[in-house]
Amino acid sequence: MHELGIAVAIVVATLRAATPLMLAGFGELITERSGVLNLGVEGMMLVGAAFGFIGAVVSGSLLVGFIIAMIAGAALALVFGVLTLSLMANQVATGLALTIFGVGFSALVGVKWVGMPLAGLPGAIWPHLSTAPPLVQQMMLIDPIVVIAILVPFAAHWFIYRTRGGLILRAVGESHDVAHALGYSVLRIRYLAVLCGGAMSGLAGAYMSLSYSPMWAENMVAGRGWIALALVVFSTWKPAWLALGALLFGLVTIAQFQAEGLGVAVSPNLLAMLPYLATVIVLVLISRDATRLKLNAPAALGRPFHATA
Amino acid sequence: MDASAPPPRLRLTGITKRYASVVANSGIDLSVGPGEIHALLGENGAGKSTLVKIIYGVVHPDEGEIAWEGRPVRIADPNAARALGIGMVFQHFSLFESLTVAENIALGLGAREGIGELTARIEEISRRYGLAVEPSRHVHHLSVGERQRVEIVRCLLQAPRLLIMDEPTSVLTPQEAEGLFDVLRRLASEGCSVLYISHKLEEIKALCEAATVLRGGRVVGGCDPRTSSEQQMAELMIGGELPVAHRRAPLKEGRASLIVANLSLPADEPFGTHLRDVSLTLRDGEILGVAGVAGNGQKELLAVLSGERRAPAADAVRIADVAAGLMGPAARRRLGLAFIPEERLGRGAVAEFPLTENALLTSYQHGLVRAGMVRFGAVEAYARQIIARFGVVAAGTQAQGSSLSGGNMQKFIVGREVGTNPRVLLAAHPTWGVDIGAALAIRQALMDLAAAGSGVLVVSEDLAELFEISDYISVLSGGRLSPPRRTHETTVEEVGLLMGGRMAGAARQHEARGVVDAA
């Protein structure tokens, strides 16, 4: 019974740690599959975290918080879209600027809310938590956002490979000129993909500030946006590999906490580095086949589209 | 006119399209009858592409009317064109490499039907017209001919009443082209009109019933290709008399200047071709034509000859008796190699540079740089000399590369490379997309260079061109190079079979002869 409890605790904790990466990663996967490289994930997550937290506290509703976070992420993505898609600014530079902006903007907006608890809201998303048996309490930590994060890979796989919309998305990312010649609106599809990526990043950020560690602190996303970006590339744009990468990150994060708890004589800073390092190393090993990387990469990734005719 | 006669399938009246600086189409009238195979003829820049884009709804005309089966219509986008019954097979195929045949077709149809039903319909059409395609294969595995069949099947699935074919045979072997003609004739006999764009006059004579000739964005005439001569049609196209290329004197056996020995090289790209045991010898004063459909290893062969990729061993490529296989492009150029790449802007020249700097790029080793300093006066003079000798149309030596038309840029690049007096010149598709006048000038320059004692290796898909200028022809197919044949001892049909990959049987017979030739 006790061992089962530990196993469940590890699985639950892993899922929770993997959730932000799963959400932001799949948002970015959709964006990149349309041929747009948005390096602003970290910034969009932070803005989502700040606005989600403020929204939840002000409105007294977590749901409102999450919705505001998604709108905030999408709004930032819209700025990126206008700059790179309509005005054809360089995607890499604009994405970096977006992250820098998001870091500063979220800190500015959230400065009054630093350290404030989620006052007046239930301690977690499920009510009556404290009266349930311990094992159920553990399971209850799987809040609806985690459930969404678990479903996202399946939904994304189904959408990308089984639906007509996914086919068009892949087509636009493969060759915007051909898609345009066939009569598809490249810019509209890319805008939708970029907005989807922004909303997912915002949601991921809000999960950080409303559930994972329910509070707002400056720069609290702590590089997860960058890891999500790296996961997308190293997963060679495949939903299954991306999901595995996110889970791996979650697992090593938990291992790191355990190691700290057991008092391993290693600097906590080194341990904190571990999830990032392990994820990157494993995925680099997976994706070292350059041919496969090229074969799966959206061929039009990062290239601006201008309808010449 | 007989009142009961059906209206033309498509009638354009006074179509005009202006861009910022040029008028692409000016007052164009065109009429295509039901079941008619109509040729649209013209040089590059004559306005053919703009006109078909207007018909297909990709571009909107500034003035003029389009009537479809007698009713005036406005074609807003390709979907509207398809809804009317207009299908188009693009010159550069509009297929997605990483998707399957069925997925590609689904994207082109815009219909919401499952891949399963679609697959059944694809198979039915491909049986009916003898167009072999496999719905579940990925496009990047397909040959160019197969890709074209996919495009045609995609059009046919919409039961088109007008099929636009943009330069469809430029990438086909002669046998594949003949197969395509059969399909088009069959479609025409079933009542589908065909608008056939090409500059290959012999094809138009064989296939089309009517022709409209464009020059400078205007209709300059129409003719019946079945009764007009190729000479007449060509002169209509270029608006003057066709210059005649001068065949040079037969060659003397020169010394070998470029030797490739048993070179095998894996592809470095997912969709690339592996080179398999390629051997060739190019002698001074000789033009060797390498025929073959693009994608059979041409890119890879040229990269390993020019030095952009290193050969596995120094000995695999010898230039002027030096083992050059491991040298980079600059070192090879110092041995007397010159290279005219396939892409003009981006590889042959820098679009943002003026012509003077583009001239300097590959010729700096030829007296244009002294003590590490550029001699701008000499560079200027060199650029001016190229422009004058090749009749490059440009706004002076300071004109940016991107401001020149493709044909003029190509003439400039050819001039620059020929001007270095190379021992060996590699030319990749030198006249691809170049108009007749410029193509003649380029071929003449290659022949003159060979007559002056250089070795010239020409990779081209244009068999007529290779037969015109080459002393020997080899065929590159699936990464293998056939033994060279003397041009006057072989035929287009024979080369066409080799291009189609029928090497095994034919090659053995040739091998014996190849050895005799070499001896």
Side-chain angles (χ1 to χ4, degrees):
Chain A
M1 190 62 216
H2 181 62
E3 277 148 23
L4 181 64
I6 290 177
V8 167
I10 287 178
V11 169
V12 168
T14 299
L15 286 174
R16 284 175 56 81
T19 292
L21 291 186
M22 205 73 101
L23 295 172
F26 273 95
E28 181 67 11
L29 180 75
I30 298 286
T31 304
E32 292 194 13
R33 277 284 188 164
S34 81
V36 182
L37 180 67
N38 185 353
L39 296 182
V41 178
E42 179 88 1
M44 296 187 298
M45 283 177 78
L46 275 166
V47 167
F51 277 85
F53 185 83
I54 297 168
V57 171
V58 169
S59 70
S61 155
L62 285 174
L63 182 65
V64 171
F66 282 120
I67 290 173
I68 286 179
M70 288 177 77
I71 293 172
L76 212 54
L78 182 66
V79 173
F80 175 83
V82 171
L83 289 172
T84 59
L85 298 178
S86 297
L87 303 177
M88 284 184 290
N90 180 297
Q91 293 181 4
V92 172
T94 311
L96 288 173
L98 197 70
T99 283
I100 294 168
F101 172 78
V103 171
F105 185 59
S106 60
L108 177 74
V109 168
V111 71
K112 281 195 294 181
W113 311 81
V114 173
M116 184 184 285
L118 268 176
L121 293 179
I125 290 167
W126 307 103
H128 317 302
L129 188 68
S130 49
T131 56
L135 193 60
V136 178
Q137 275 193 26
Q138 279 291 343
M139 305 279 272
M140 286 294 135
L141 280 170
I142 300 178
D143 57 48
I145 304 299
V146 179
V147 174
I148 290 175
I150 294 167
L151 295 179
V152 154
F154 298 99
H157 184 93
W158 175 80
F159 173 73
I160 291 173
Y161 294 111
R162 294 276 179 272
T163 69
R164 187 171 174 80
L167 181 57
I168 294 171
L169 180 78
R170 280 185 287 153
V172 169
E174 171 76 23
S175 166
H176 45 223
D177 292 323
V178 176
H180 176 70
L182 289 178
Y184 292 99
S185 170
V186 173
L187 287 188
R188 203 187 71 200
I189 293 157
R190 289 199 168 157
Y191 264 110
L192 287 175
V194 166
L195 288 178
C196 169
M200 297 279 279
S201 290
L203 184 64
Y207 174 80
M208 296 286 302
S209 67
L210 292 179
S211 173
Y212 191 68
S213 53
M215 53 143 217
W216 163 250
E218 201 175 304
N219 217 357
M220 67 179 293
V221 171
R224 283 178 176 79
W226 292 112
I227 282 291
L229 266 169
L231 284 176
V232 174
V233 176
F234 292 139
S235 69
T236 63
W237 294 270
K238 285 191 172 146
W241 287 115
L242 177 56
L244 271 174
L247 288 174
L248 178 74
F249 180 88
L251 187 65
V252 182
T253 306
I254 300 314
Q256 165 219 336
F257 286 145
Q258 294 296 327
E260 270 180 58
L262 291 173
V264 177
V266 179
S267 155
N269 290 331
L270 279 180
L271 284 177
M273 211 170 78
L274 212 58
Y276 300 87
L277 199 63
T279 308
V280 169
I281 288 174
V282 168
L283 287 168
V284 165
L285 291 180
I286 288 174
S287 65
R288 67 176 191 267
D289 180 352
T291 310
R292 225 189 59 192
L293 196 64
K294 267 193 191 171
L295 197 63
N296 288 315
L301 187 62
R303 281 174 33 213
F305 170 71
H306 175 58
T308 47
Chain B
M1 200 206 230
D2 185 358
S4 66
R9 181 71 37 92
L10 175 79
R11 184 197 286 281
L12 306 180
T13 326
I15 293 288
T16 298
K17 176 72 191 176
R18 294 181 201 88
Y19 288 110
S21 56
V22 287
V23 180
N25 285 164
S26 170
I28 290 190
D29 299 329
L30 174 73
S31 173
V32 184
E36 179 183 78
I37 306 184
H38 192 110
L40 193 56
L41 271 169
E43 298 258 271
N44 291 300
K48 293 173 301 189
S49 310
T50 307
L51 189 65
V52 294
K53 279 182 186 162
I54 287 172
I55 299 173
Y56 198 57
V58 183
V59 172
H60 300 135
D62 298 325
E63 284 163 34
E65 271 183 26
I66 304 173
W68 177 254
E69 303 194 322
R71 285 180 300 114
V73 288
R74 203 185 146 271
I75 303 172
D77 56 36
N79 288 325
R82 283 194 291 263
L84 287 175
I86 300 173
M88 177 152 172
V89 175
F90 294 89
Q91 179 182 9
H92 306 289
F93 296 137
S94 57
L95 295 176
F96 302 97
E97 300 256 324
S98 65
L99 305 182
T100 67
V101 170
E103 285 174 333
N104 265 289
I105 291 177
L107 280 166
L109 287 183
R112 301 187 174 272
E113 73 183 301
I115 293 282
E117 297 161 52
L118 188 61
T119 301
R121 284 179 59 206
I122 292 170
E123 278 163 354
E124 193 223 310
I125 287 274
S126 85
R127 255 198 315 276
R128 214 170 104 202
Y129 290 96
L131 291 159
V133 297
E134 286 173 57
S136 60
R137 289 187 72 193
H138 282 264
V139 167
H140 59 83
H141 291 308
L142 303 185
S143 74
V144 186
E146 287 172 303
R147 288 174 194 215
Q148 188 177 58
R149 290 204 288 272
V150 174
E151 291 251 357
I152 296 173
V153 167
R154 176 161 75 185
C155 285
L156 294 185
L157 277 169
Q158 303 164 71
R161 284 179 292 169
L162 171 66
L163 189 59
I164 303 171
M165 307 284 298
D166 192 359
E167 307 252 351
T169 58
S170 57
V171 291
L172 299 185
T173 68
Q175 285 81 4
E176 283 176 318
E178 207 37 65
L180 171 69
F181 294 166
D182 289 340
V183 172
L184 293 182
R185 287 192 193 105
R186 167 134 188 227
L187 277 169
S189 73
E190 293 173 3
C192 177
S193 308
V194 178
L195 188 59
Y196 189 91
I197 297 151
S198 181
H199 58 251
K200 291 191 182 169
L201 299 169
E202 71 273 24
E203 284 179 359
I204 284 169
K205 268 185 83 64
L207 185 69
C208 302
E209 299 151 38
T212 298
V213 185
L214 298 186
R215 188 186 340 126
R218 293 170 185 280
V219 176
V220 291
C223 62
D224 186 339
R226 291 166 299 190
T227 55
S228 310
S229 73
E230 289 182 24
Q231 181 81 15
Q232 285 167 329
M233 290 193 280
E235 288 178 1
L236 256 180
M237 273 165 72
I238 63 171
E241 273 191 31
L242 205 55
V244 185
H246 302 287
R247 182 94 189 133
R248 66 210 165 76
L251 74 155
K252 303 184 292 284
E253 194 89 321
R255 289 197 302 140
S257 52
L258 172 70
I259 302 171
V260 177
N262 305 104
L263 172 73
S264 293
L265 193 69
D268 58 349
E269 283 186 314
F271 308 129
T273 309
H274 307 294
L275 291 180
R276 297 168 208 272
D277 200 23
V278 169
S279 298
L280 67 86
T281 304
L282 179 68
R283 292 184 188 78
D284 290 337
E286 169 180 302
I287 299 183
L288 172 65
V290 175
V293 176
N296 274 289
Q298 282 87 345
K299 233 172 42 186
E300 289 78 3
L301 178 64
L302 287 164
V304 78
L305 291 182
S306 71
E308 285 161 278
R309 275 190 83 189
R310 309 290 196 270
D315 248 6
V317 178
R318 296 184 71 86
I319 297 169
D321 292 327
V322 178
L326 300 178
M327 290 181 178
R332 292 191 199 195
R333 279 184 179 273
R334 276 194 287 276
L335 295 176
L337 182 83
F339 178 37
I340 302 168
E342 184 180 355
E343 303 96 341
R344 275 133 223 182
L345 295 178
R347 241 173 112 206
V350 181
E352 294 81 12
F353 279 11
L355 291 181
T356 47
E357 288 175 21
N358 270 310
L360 182 66
L361 278 178
T362 63
S363 313
Y364 63 92
Q365 292 162 345
H366 301 270
L368 300 181
V369 174
R370 188 165 42 202
M373 307 297 274
V374 175
R375 296 169 56 209
F376 285 103
V379 175
E380 178 79 26
Y382 186 50
R384 210 176 302 126
Q385 180 197 328
I386 297 170
I387 291 173
R389 184 176 159 202
F390 284 88
V392 178
V393 181
T397 53
Q398 293 304 316
Q400 276 204 352
S402 56
S403 70
L404 271 65
S405 75
N408 279 307
M409 195 65 232
Q410 183 71 345
K411 282 199 280 189
F412 188 83
I413 294 170
V414 169
R416 177 185 76 190
E417 298 301 313
V418 168
T420 62
N421 287 321
R423 175 94 188 267
V424 178
L425 176 70
L426 308 174
H429 310 280
T431 61
W432 183 84
V434 167
D435 57 34
I436 297 182
L440 273 170
I442 290 167
R443 285 185 205 129
Q444 190 65 55
L446 297 182
M447 287 195 277
D448 291 348
L449 185 69
S454 304
V456 180
L457 185 138
V458 182
V459 172
S460 177
E461 292 182 302
D462 186 343
L463 283 185
E465 168 173 284
L466 292 180
F467 273 86
E468 184 190 332
I469 66 173
S470 309
D471 300 300
Y472 292 90
I473 290 188
S474 287
V475 176
L476 196 56
S477 170
R480 293 178 197 278
L481 189 70
S482 76
R485 307 240 30 214
R486 270 186 189 276
T487 305
H488 56 84
E489 287 171 7
T490 187
T491 60
V492 172
E493 288 70 33
E494 197 176 12
V495 171
L497 286 176
L498 287 169
M499 283 163 70
R502 310 241 188 98
M503 291 268 279
R508 267 193 295 280
Q509 295 175 4
H510 287 189
E511 228 135 6
R513 295 197 189 201
V515 171
V516 175
D517 278 352

